[in-house]
Amino acid sequence: MDTPILNALTEAVAAGRADAGAEFWARVEAVGAPLVEPDPADPGQRLVTFVWRDDPAAPAGDVLALLHTFTDRDRHAGDLTPHLMRRVPGTDVWALTHRLPADLRASYQFFVGAGPRGRILRTDRAAWLGVLDGAVPDPYNHAPTLAARDGRNPSSVLALPDAPEQPWVRRRPGVPRGSRLDTTVDGRRVSVLVPAGDRREPYRVAVLLDGEVWGSVLDIGDTLDNLHAEGRIPPTVALLVDTMGRDRRIADLTCNEAFVDWLADVLLPWAGRQYGIAGDPAHTVVVGQSAGGLTAAFAALRRPDRFGNVLSQSGSFWWPDPDESNDGPEWLTRRFAATERLPIRFHVEVGLLEWMLIAENRRLRDVLLERGYPLTYTEFDGGHDYACWRGGLAVGLVGLLSASAGD
């Protein structure tokens, strides 16, 4: 797809202007990348051009622009060619333009390949993991990057003009910093975040699954400090629970009764003794993403005596796979449909681009509403992406903990 900016570059090169490439990169440096232009056919869309500057010392054979969820969807379909960038003739510019919703937020990276094109376009798991291991952020994006785990490079973040604001995710100067303790509880790693200031009342508590990401990688402590400083949430201790090992995660986060009982009967009593957290389930939030979102909802269903608030982001409510279970899909949704309403509040959100999850989350929403549960439900323009979840997590905590403050 050609855009006014790329057309101007092509025309300048065709006219023999030797400084065309340098002027183009000076503009990119000044305004930042990717380049965003209005879509003349639809005011609700933008033309977004991703650009990569070729290295003359190591010229690229091909460049893939990896736009979170968009690229994943095509990789699942077995075709990565829509994400190949093209070299603008006569320049060192690689470019790819997508037409995207004006309220989209998504993380992205580039993968620079050498050798046969067929190698970079492989979609099997081993090849895809190699692409992810070698992908890099956009050096011309001015926004802070999104940190990664497992030794991978960070991602850049695209936030188009109408994307929801994320006012609390960055550390602010002058905001009192809470404390963090990394410890082990009954053999499992847990990080404890305690708000700054003197405690004048029992703390609320937020239990975050996949705690390694929210602690060591994304530092949710900055968000909590900002929310506390603004008085958006009552004093809240966050328990970041280690669930990220592949085998452990599959075992823990697929409606595992033993894991949920451990949270309820071991972790929360321990935190009560150590930090004076409230024992009232109405003052306790369990938070998870993907399989963690599924398990957060299950935790409240199984143990409403300890978990009275659920914050589920992009929950895997399709579970279990019907090919692997005689129980059929969407087991937890059917459990809620068959159970009398419990004293639980919900904040559920899912991305409009999550083609494998959105229908299942909508069905859970409908069941919860039919059962009369207090529910905040949101569909954001984005995918299965921490760039979206970190903002939604803050919004969900504000809603749930502010409601519990009135109890």
Side-chain angles (χ1 to χ4, degrees), residues 301-337:
L301 177 69
R302 176 167 175 79
R303 296 299 301 270
D305 59 312
R306 297 312 303 258
F307 301 107
N309 297 277
V310 172
L311 202 174
S312 172
Q313 299 180 279
S314 304
S316 298
F317 295 111
W318 53 265
W319 183 88
D321 190 321
D323 294 334
E324 300 176 3
S325 170
N326 294 325
D327 292 333
E330 300 182 60
W331 175 84
L332 186 59
T333 299
R334 289 184 284 110
R335 283 288 304 277
F336 274 108

Side-chain angles (χ1 to χ4, degrees), residues 46 95 361:
R46 296 292 184 273
N361 274 263

Side-chain angles (χ1 to χ4, degrees), residues 63-322:
V63 183
L64 277 175
L66 309 176
L67 182 59
H68 204 299
T69 302
F70 287 88
T71 308
D72 304 83
R73 181 174 54 201
D74 289 336
R75 179 250 162 180
H76 276 279
D79 183 12
L80 288 173
T81 54
H83 305 279
L84 279 172
M85 304 179 77
R86 69 176 180 91
R87 179 81 174 262
V88 179
T91 75
D92 58 358
V93 178
W94 291 83
L96 176 66
T97 301
H98 287 302
R99 176 176 282 110
L100 299 172
D103 58 351
L104 175 73
R105 176 176 278 105
S107 58
Y108 71 97
Q109 294 176 304
F110 297 110
F111 179 79
V112 180
R117 174 170 287 182
R119 185 182 305 165
I120 197 176
L121 293 178
R122 284 174 51 191
T123 57
D124 58 278
R125 179 174 174 79
W128 182 243
L129 291 177
V131 167
L132 297 181
D133 288 342
V136 296
D138 184 347
Y140 289 97
N141 186 314
H142 295 169
T145 57
L146 180 73
R149 59 185 179 89
D150 299 334
R152 287 179 175 157
N153 295 309
S155 297
S156 298
V157 177
L158 165 68
L160 289 179
D162 296 338
E165 296 291 332
Q166 294 186 344
W168 300 298
V169 300
R170 299 291 176 200
R171 181 179 296 189
R172 298 175 183 172
V175 168
R177 299 281 295 161
S179 63
R180 171 175 168 174
L181 171 69
D182 297 322
T183 188
T184 300
V185 179
D186 192 33
R188 187 185 291 264
R189 290 184 307 227
V190 177
S191 294
V192 184
L193 306 183
V194 180
D198 297 329
R199 178 167 58 89
R200 297 181 177 84
E201 56 183 293
Y203 288 124
R204 279 26 175 201
V205 62
V207 178
L208 276 64
L209 309 177
D210 293 336
E212 306 94 306
V213 174
W214 293 113
S216 300
V217 179
L218 297 180
D219 196 359
I220 193 65
D222 292 338
T223 294
L224 295 172
D225 290 338
N226 294 332
L227 294 175
H228 281 122
E230 289 188 12
R232 300 279 181 166
I233 59 175
T236 300
V237 168
L239 305 176
L240 315 184
V241 182
D242 181 334
T243 53
M244 285 304 297
R246 179 170 175 80
D247 292 340
R248 162 175 277 184
R249 192 169 194 273
I250 292 172
D252 287 345
L253 302 187
T254 48
C255 299
N256 184 322
E257 295 180 358
F259 174 64
V260 167
D261 288 344
W262 181 87
L263 294 174
D265 296 332
V266 177
L267 180 65
L268 288 180
W270 171 85
R273 293 189 300 270
Q274 297 292 322
Y275 298 98
I277 65 169
D280 187 344
H283 296 163
T284 303
V285 183
V286 57
V287 183
Q289 299 75 36
S290 192
L294 169 78
T295 295
F298 174 69
L301 177 69
R302 176 167 175 79
R303 296 299 301 270
D305 59 312
R306 297 312 303 258
F307 301 107
N309 297 277
V310 172
L311 202 174
S312 172
Q313 299 180 279
S314 304
S316 298
F317 295 111
W318 53 265
W319 183 88
D321 190 321

